[in-house]
Amino acid sequence: MKEYSLNVDPRILELLGPNLYSNIYYVLAELIANAYDADAENVYIISNQDDIRVEDDGHGMSYEKGDINKFLNVAGISRIGEDDSYTKAGTRKKMGRKGVGKLAALSVSECVNVLTIENGEKSGFVLARRPIDGNKLQAIDDNDVIFSRIENHGTAIVMKNPQYRLHKGLYAVKRNLLKIFPLVGSDFKIHIIRGQEYEVVDRFDENIMNELNTLISLGDEYSSLCDLVPTEFPDRRYDLIESRPPFRTSVSVKNNEGTIREYPLEIVGWIGTYRSTRGRKAEMTDFPDNFISLYANKKMGEFNILPIVGQNKLNEVYVVGQLHVDLFELSELPDMALSNRQGYKSDDPRYEAVVEYVRKDLLPAILRKREIFTDLNNAEKKKAAEANLKQKEEELKKEIDDFRNNASKGAAENIRKAGADVSRETIEKAVSDSINSNAPDLGLKAIVNSQKKKILISQTYQDKPLADIIFQLLLFNNVPAEDILYTNCDDEVCRVPEGSSVYDYLKDFFVESYSAQKIFVLFVTSENTKASWGAITEVGASWITQIDHKIFNINPFRPEHPLDDNAQWHTTFREDNELRMSMLSADIFCQKIEDVCLRLNYKSKTRAENIRYLETLVSIR
């Protein structure tokens, strides 16, 4: 009679089982990874009425050869050095390392049947949160070891009476699995089965790439993905889709022997943006569609670092990416993965190096590409709107010219009728009557005014973080984004059309306009201002045209004439690329925003409301 012993205090199963994983798809990922490490070519996820079965056609496990005893050695390290880093067939790098993935199924069910066959030798036992006899597990008779899809070799994990269920739509299950386990292809397929429903996950690229409009690939292995991303602007394809070499750097890490060494860190993979987010929430998948995942040895270690590397920008909702860093799983280095495989230790230098690169380089690069796409996509609409505004301007000019001509002729005729020898009051009345009779011609002025931008945020790209805060607070105070001109804004409605010049826009609609409305300028000044020709030009233009403005300055720069340097300006401090304000400067910041709203007839928030909101955008201390 075969005996099966779990080589760990059985109480660990009750403690860890239901708490180890928070989502059934993470459980499935562990079981799929085990199948991958067993050199399986097919994994079958079968959802039945009373169980969920994960079956694979890998090597299977032999009781006689000690495979099962090794399997039941919970928390036994499976990789120590590079010699044992490959699977039995020698063609794949092992994903497993901690030896706790076998407990994953216990997060779903109190009792799990483990069935296996190796070269015809069958074995089976029940893995339970509470073993019935010490560390002895209940054996399953070899005659009851029955498989659904395999015959001679492989393993099945049967989760009885599962506490979690798969999504009711198999396509949603497929999308979830692709997000956390993209390593599928002709040599490794995932089959999802429920009754007569059947989905095969065998092509990662086709399922994701055709939904994107921008892409940056890293490394030759992923460069072919660029060909799968459609583009509506072939002349600007390189601006939207780019193949880069791997990102490489080095990090100092203490290895398992306690020696600190320099190790090369390489990042490959891809990052892109969706064309649209329309309809995605309706799918109700278990994972958000915007994410940046980290993988090592092809296995997901952390689903989403976007909240860590992002800045809560509006267009981050479009971002999606999968980055592979095999140094995370180098066998001679300490294991940096959390025990539930749902994240990494954030203070590990390898993790810190990846986060810094994505935050400072990769994410801003893909967001710039998204901005280019949005500008191209909306350029025609914007140009049409500008053309319409120009037409209204021309009509306004004609109306004013006609008004002047008719008013002067009418006044002259009225004076003539009154006789040459008339009083001053009579002449003034004649002119006034003529103006009033022709005044309706100026109704077009209100239309032109309503279509023009009201506020210009003048800044350099290096000072965009402070400009973004100004923009967000304007929106909070009921200023429509359509009324703001901000060339580096994440919201394309605030930018001029792609290919157009902001200076041409200002000249056409403010300098050479018959409309008396002037744009209100909010200057973001810093040491970067002196090095920016565009910023200097805008300062000069505002002085020449005597435009009202306010100054939001970054210390230690001091604003100078022709800016209104006699008036109090706001001061922000920048330390290690992080912005902060004192409570006084935060109050002045809000006061200036509120004054702009008052002058332009927007209903602003209270000072207390603005301070509370500002605290969510910048450090105040």
Side-chain angles (χ1 to χ4, degrees):
M1 180 66 178
K2 297 176 179 177
E3 290 187 354
Y4 304 92
S5 297
L6 191 63
N7 298 324
V8 67
D9 189 324
R11 290 177 297 176
I12 197 68
L13 300 180
E14 189 168 5
L15 291 171
L16 289 182
N19 301 311
L20 194 57
Y21 298 87
S22 60
N23 185 298
I24 191 172
Y25 292 97
Y26 287 114
V27 174
L28 293 177
E30 287 288 356
L31 301 180
I32 293 169
N34 288 345
Y36 182 88
D37 284 354
D39 294 310
E41 295 183 2
N42 296 279
V43 180
Y44 302 90
I45 300 173
I46 307 167
S47 180
N48 298 315
Q49 184 174 355
D50 297 322
D51 63 56
I52 298 175
R53 172 183 287 251
V54 179
E55 193 168 297
D56 69 72
D57 60 2
H59 296 298
M61 295 180 286
S62 167
Y63 182 90
E64 299 297 335
K65 298 176 183 177
D67 297 334
I68 293 178
N69 187 57
K70 184 178 180 181
F71 174 85
L72 291 174
N73 184 18
V74 175
I77 302 301
S78 61
R79 285 188 288 114
I80 299 175
E82 291 308 298
D83 292 342
D84 54 5
S85 293
Y86 286 85
T87 62
K88 189 175 181 179
T91 57
R92 297 174 178 172
K93 276 193 171 182
K94 288 180 184 177
M95 293 184 177
R97 181 172 185 174
K98 288 183 179 296
V100 297
K102 58 182 69 69
L103 300 181
L106 290 175
S107 294
V108 178
S109 299
E110 290 192 6
C111 293
V112 176
N113 290 356
V114 180
L115 314 175
T116 188
I117 181 171
E118 195 262 350
N119 287 332
E121 178 197 340
K122 291 183 176 182
S123 301
F125 54 90
V126 178
L127 190 62
R129 293 179 190 171
R130 291 178 290 275
I132 56 176
D133 181 18
N135 65 345
K136 295 288 191 274
L137 303 181
Q138 178 184 346
I140 298 175
D141 190 270
D142 291 353
N143 294 324
D144 294 326
V145 176
I146 301 172
F147 300 94
S148 295
R149 298 281 167 168
I150 64 174
E151 293 183 1
N152 221 26
H153 53 87
T155 299
I157 306 295
V158 185
M159 293 168 277
K160 310 288 288 185
N161 300 312
Q163 296 171 333
Y164 304 105
R165 282 291 183 179
L166 299 178
H167 193 279
K168 62 182 180 181
L170 291 195
Y171 181 72
V173 178
K174 179 177 181 176
R175 285 187 62 86
N176 284 332
L177 289 175
L178 274 173
K179 290 172 186 175
I180 64 175
F181 204 97
L183 188 66
V184 290
S186 58
D187 62 342
F188 190 72
K189 301 177 183 178
I190 302 173
H191 308 257
I192 312 168
I193 305 165
R194 180 192 284 124
Q196 300 302 312
E197 297 179 86
Y198 200 111
E199 284 275 1
V200 181
V201 187
D202 60 354
R203 289 296 303 271
F204 159 75
D205 43 24
E206 288 184 356
N207 282 278
I208 299 292
M209 292 299 126
N210 60 12
E211 299 179 13
L212 306 184
N213 56 14
T214 68
L215 184 76
I216 296 175
S217 68
L218 300 173
D220 292 341
E221 181 182 353
Y222 296 92
S223 61
S224 61
L225 297 179
C226 294
D227 298 330
L228 301 175
V229 179
T231 179
E232 302 164 31
F233 309 102
D235 294 342
R236 300 292 299 275
R237 185 175 179 84
Y238 180 75
D239 292 325
L240 303 173
I241 301 167
E242 179 185 355
S243 175
R244 293 185 178 183
F247 171 78
R248 294 187 175 96
T249 187
S250 61
V251 292
S252 296
V253 187
K254 182 182 291 187
N255 61 26
N256 292 330
E257 297 176 353
T259 303
I260 297 178
R261 284 184 47 200
E262 286 283 321
Y263 287 88
L265 182 144
E266 179 179 273
I267 303 176
V268 297
W270 61 273
I271 189 172
T273 59
Y274 293 109
R275 182 180 297 102
S276 170
T277 59
R278 187 177 296 116
R280 296 188 181 278
K281 289 184 178 179
E283 288 184 2
M284 292 297 290
T285 54
D286 293 69
F287 299 91
D289 279 318
N290 62 320
F291 59 87
I292 302 175
S293 296
L294 298 182
Y295 296 79
N297 287 357
K298 308 298 184 183
K299 184 178 182 180
M300 188 186 74
E302 185 163 348
F303 174 66
N304 192 11
I305 64 168
L306 189 54
I308 300 172
V309 299
Q311 298 179 8
N312 259 340
K313 295 182 178 178
L314 295 175
N315 53 2
E316 287 174 8
V317 70
Y318 297 100
V319 173
V320 58
Q322 295 180 336
L323 305 177
H324 299 257
V325 193
D326 285 353
L327 186 65
F328 284 3
E329 288 287 348
L330 189 66
S331 298
E332 68 181 71
L333 296 180
D335 190 356
M336 57 183 284
L338 302 179
S339 60
N340 60 5
R341 307 299 298 186
Q342 292 176 217
Y344 289 108
K345 297 172 183 176
S346 59
D347 60 348
D348 189 286
R350 292 167 286 177
Y351 186 82
E352 292 174 337
V354 172
V355 166
E356 181 180 21
Y357 165 65
V358 178
R359 177 187 290 138
K360 294 184 177 179
D361 186 333
L362 194 58
L363 180 59
I366 199 63
L367 290 178
R368 284 195 292 270
K369 291 184 182 297
R370 171 74 197 182
E371 290 173 4
I372 292 172
F373 173 84
T374 304
D375 285 345
L376 291 171
N377 200 40
N378 291 285
E380 295 305 317
K381 296 178 184 177
K382 280 191 173 183
K383 286 180 179 178
E386 282 198 11
N388 178 64
L389 185 55
K390 283 185 178 180
Q391 180 184 347
K392 297 297 183 186
E393 280 276 4
E394 292 301 319
E395 292 176 11
L396 177 61
K397 290 178 182 179
K398 183 178 183 303
E399 294 285 358
I400 290 177
D401 289 341
D402 290 345
F403 163 73
R404 286 172 172 168
N405 186 48
N406 294 336
S408 60
K409 286 181 178 179
E413 180 63 22
N414 289 339
I415 294 171
R416 187 189 65 78
K417 289 179 181 179
D421 187 17
V422 293
S423 67
R424 178 178 176 180
E425 290 77 10
T426 302
I427 294 175
E428 288 178 352
K429 184 177 186 304
V431 174
S432 176
D433 290 344
S434 180
I435 288 175
N436 288 336
S437 65
N438 288 280
D441 293 341
L442 292 179
L444 195 61
K445 179 175 178 292
I447 297 176
V448 173
N449 284 350
S450 68
Q451 294 179 349
K452 290 167 65 174
K453 300 285 188 180
K454 308 296 191 302
I455 299 170
L456 168 65
I457 301 177
S458 174
Q459 35 72 52
T460 65
Y461 187 80
Q462 294 93 326
D463 297 330
K464 176 173 162 55
L466 181 56
D468 283 342
I469 295 172
I470 295 171
F471 175 69
Q472 291 296 333
L473 211 65
L474 288 171
L475 297 184
F476 183 67
N477 282 271
N478 300 305
V479 179
E482 294 81 2
D483 290 358
I484 302 171
L485 181 59
Y486 173 19
T487 54
N488 287 315
C489 188
D490 295 330
D491 188 343
E492 60 85 22
V493 75
C494 301
R495 304 192 295 268
V496 296
E498 174 71 14
S500 299
S501 165
V502 65
Y503 304 115
D504 289 340
Y505 179 92
L506 293 172
K507 178 174 69 71
D508 289 341
F509 301 122
F510 291 95
V511 178
E512 298 179 358
S513 175
Y514 271 76
S515 165
Q517 176 185 297
K518 292 184 178 181
I519 199 166
F520 203 114
V521 184
L522 306 182
F523 285 103
V524 179
T525 58
S526 74
E527 295 292 335
N528 299 314
T529 304
K530 296 184 293 186
S532 171
W533 177 250
I536 292 173
T537 303
E538 290 171 357
V539 170
S542 72
W543 178 74
I544 292 171
T545 55
Q546 295 298 296
I547 288 175
D548 282 340
H549 65 268
K550 292 189 181 295
I551 302 171
F552 297 83
N553 185 57
I554 300 176
N555 195 62
F557 184 71
R558 187 191 187 286
E560 299 175 357
H561 188 74
L563 290 175
D564 186 7
D565 56 344
N566 290 319
Q568 184 183 45
W569 61 74
H570 162 81
T571 299
T572 293
F573 299 91
R574 179 160 47 200
E575 299 170 354
D576 298 325
N577 291 323
E578 296 292 332
L579 299 180
R580 71 169 179 86
M581 299 179 190
S582 67
M583 183 54 72
L584 174 61
S585 63
D587 192 74
I588 294 172
F589 185 99
C590 295
Q591 179 186 19
K592 290 186 177 297
I593 295 295
E594 292 159 15
D595 186 61
V596 171
C597 293
L598 177 65
R599 294 200 196 188
L600 299 179
N601 297 316
Y602 300 112
K603 184 174 176 57
S604 65
K605 304 283 187 178
T606 67
R607 180 65 51 81
E609 289 173 323
N610 280 324
I611 289 290
R612 283 196 297 270
Y613 183 67
L614 185 59
E615 287 176 331
T616 69
L617 303 176
V618 66
S619 173
I620 299 177
R621 62 181 189 275

